[in-house]
Amino acid sequence: MKKKRILLKVGSNTLTKETDNISRGKIEDIANQIAKLQDTCEFIIVSSGAIAVAKQFVKLESRRKEIFVKQALASIGQPHLIRMYQETFRELGLLTSQCLLSYSDFEKQDSKNNIVNTINVLVNNNYIPIINENDTVATDEIKFGDNDKLGALTASLLEVDLFIIATNTNGIYTKASITNGDFKTIKHVVNLDELTNQVVDSKSSHGTGGMQSKIDAISVAKQSKIETWIVNGLEDNFIINALENSVPFTKIN
């Protein structure tokens, strides 16, 4: 039986559970769910969090631009982030690998072919690729979007069956409900223009993305006819609960 291929994008705010530290408990939650679903689903993860990890250990001083400090923090934090994934997933018998990509990789056909071939080999051998932007040489995530777009481009390139963006809300809320403070989730979207009109942009505390960056990512996925779900990753069991349709989230197809 062909497994459902899911690309899960996890932002810094989800991984820290809106604190100042990466939550091993959240990584365990993700690992537990993947372990339960491994007979029917195969996962590729796009994960932010390298800068957030580094900030737990070091404070860098520099007279250079802030962007260079963030790139240096990403360099320090990335090995720690991957180690946390590797150790936690290994306890459940799950194998992981690291893939660092840049947006320029998606502009060259040879690079795109290499990404597809490499990740297919990994997935077919039961490895879960953990993808992040190569922040040392590229700054798109740091500047623009907390890996939302990277997740969408990767999902499109790999022709996944489902693209899940884990965030800190129960999907996308109607503009009126945000104003009223009662937060009603838009459950199903077909027309992206209607969704765009509802978005109130807000930036997360650790990541650089907001809801607008998610709309941009959804647009990329939609062009490739990939279904996207915006799910509350702060909740335990959020992937399985969404698959069982037992929690509110936004589905776009």
Side-chain angles (χ1 to χ4, degrees):
M1 184 180 70
K2 184 178 181 294
K3 292 184 179 182
K4 187 183 191 79
R5 177 170 283 196
I6 298 174
L7 190 140
L8 172 66
K9 183 266 168 181
V10 187
S12 301
N13 232 37
T14 299
L15 280 181
T16 60
K17 297 185 77 171
E18 298 188 310
T19 69
D20 291 329
N21 297 300
I22 295 290
S23 167
R24 279 193 179 268
K26 178 47 59 182
I27 296 177
E28 287 172 9
D29 175 47
I30 294 168
N32 280 324
Q33 293 177 83
I34 291 175
K36 290 174 183 174
L37 294 166
Q38 62 184 330
D39 289 340
T40 56
C41 302
E42 58 189 28
F43 282 85
I44 296 130
I45 298 174
V46 170
S47 176
S48 303
I51 293 173
V53 172
K55 285 180 176 177
Q56 296 174 206
F57 299 104
V58 298
K59 180 174 176 58
L60 296 183
E61 302 294 341
S62 175
R63 294 178 183 176
R64 294 182 176 273
K65 290 181 180 178
E66 179 70 13
I67 193 70
F68 298 133
V69 175
K70 288 184 176 179
Q71 286 179 293
L73 286 169
S75 175
I76 294 165
Q78 183 64 26
H80 291 286
L81 179 66
I82 287 298
R83 191 189 73 245
M84 292 169 78
Y85 271 109
Q86 190 174 49
E87 291 173 352
T88 305
F89 277 50
R90 188 193 296 139
E91 289 176 3
L92 293 168
L94 300 173
L95 303 170
T96 58
S97 68
Q98 173 181 260
C99 299
L100 296 178
L101 303 178
S102 302
Y103 285 104
S104 60
D105 294 329
F106 292 87
E107 296 170 358
K108 295 173 282 192
Q109 193 57 50
D110 284 348
S111 296
K112 291 197 291 186
N113 291 341
N114 289 340
I115 293 168
V116 171
N117 293 333
T118 300
I119 290 179
N120 281 338
V121 168
L122 289 166
V123 172
N124 291 339
N125 284 276
N126 298 315
Y127 276 80
I128 300 164
I130 312 289
I131 298 169
N132 199 355
E133 187 181 355
N134 189 356
D135 288 323
T136 306
V137 297
T139 61
D140 292 291
E141 181 211 345
I142 291 173
K143 284 183 178 176
F144 301 120
D146 203 21
N147 275 342
D148 292 322
K149 185 180 177 185
L150 182 64
L153 288 169
T154 307
S156 300
L157 187 61
L158 297 173
E159 299 179 335
V160 303
D161 299 302
L162 179 62
F163 176 34
I164 297 177
I165 300 177
T167 186
N168 58 349
T169 60
N170 295 327
I172 298 175
Y173 300 136
T174 65
K175 189 179 289 186
S177 74
I178 293 173
T179 303
N180 297 334
D182 55 358
F183 304 110
K184 291 180 180 174
T185 300
I186 302 169
K187 292 188 177 179
H188 189 213
V189 176
V190 176
N191 187 333
L192 204 55
D193 290 336
E194 293 177 8
L195 186 62
T196 302
N197 292 334
Q198 291 290 337
V199 166
V200 176
D201 198 31
S202 60
K203 293 291 175 72
S204 57
S205 56
H206 288 281
T208 53
M211 206 48 82
Q212 185 57 52
S213 77
K214 288 164 181 54
I215 296 294
D216 295 341
I218 291 164
S219 178
V220 170
K222 192 171 175 62
Q223 287 174 13
S224 298
K225 298 181 170 57
I226 292 171
E227 187 169 307
T228 303
W229 294 1
I230 311 292
V231 178
N232 191 338
L234 299 180
E235 301 292 333
D236 289 340
N237 220 39
F238 65 97
I239 304 168
I240 291 174
N241 286 341
L243 288 168
E244 293 175 348
N245 207 30
S246 62
V247 291
F249 67 95
T250 302
K251 180 186 297 185
I252 305 101
N253 53 16

